[in-house]
Amino acid sequence: MASSANFVQYVAEQCADAGEIVAKKMFGEYGIYCDGKIFGLICDDCLYVKPTDEGRAVLREVQMRPPYEGAKDYFYVADVDDRAYLTQLVKVTCAALPEPKVKAKKK
């Protein structure tokens, strides 16, 4: 089951205080980015955040689940209604993640 556009938009709006939030379609689901850095996935109308020690410290409840079959475990975030909570989680997660690799230009 693919995620609904309404859920994706809602999650993006809930995280908006963390920075520039963009959701991009990937393989039928969505990658979610903050200031150009991918921090999670939205699959089957569920939010999954890349695991970091800093994110673990912010989570109210640590649940690890794969966002799709064959994937590594991510933090499953059940509470997407608390904007301040999501903002803090996104900020600390993104600060802990490495900078995205610069893609070489095609000739």
Side-chain angles (χ1 to χ4, degrees):
M1 177 180 120
S3 295
S4 72
N6 287 340
F7 182 79
V8 173
Q9 181 179 352
Y10 178 72
V11 171
E13 289 170 358
Q14 290 295 91
C15 299
D17 292 339
E20 182 185 353
I21 303 296
V22 175
K24 296 181 182 179
K25 225 169 184 359
M26 299 173 66
F27 311 110
E29 291 293 356
Y30 293 85
I32 188 160
Y33 297 74
C34 180
D35 297 331
K37 190 181 288 189
I38 188 165
F39 68 88
L41 301 171
I42 299 175
C43 300
D44 294 329
D45 285 343
C46 295
L47 175 62
Y48 298 89
V49 174
K50 288 186 174 186
T52 63
D53 291 339
E54 293 81 354
R56 183 179 298 274
V58 170
L59 285 171
R60 294 178 180 150
E61 180 181 358
V62 177
Q63 293 186 55
M64 300 292 291
R65 297 183 188 173
Y68 54 90
E69 190 175 326
K72 293 180 182 179
D73 282 347
Y74 277 56
F75 293 137
Y76 167 69
V77 182
D79 184 4
V80 296
D81 296 324
D82 186 335
R83 187 180 187 112
Y85 171 62
L86 280 186
T87 297
Q88 182 65 16
L89 178 59
V90 171
K91 283 182 178 181
V92 300
T93 298
C94 287
L97 293 172
E99 291 300 316
K101 295 178 182 173
V102 177
K103 293 181 183 177
K105 292 183 181 180
K106 293 181 181 179
K107 292 184 179 185

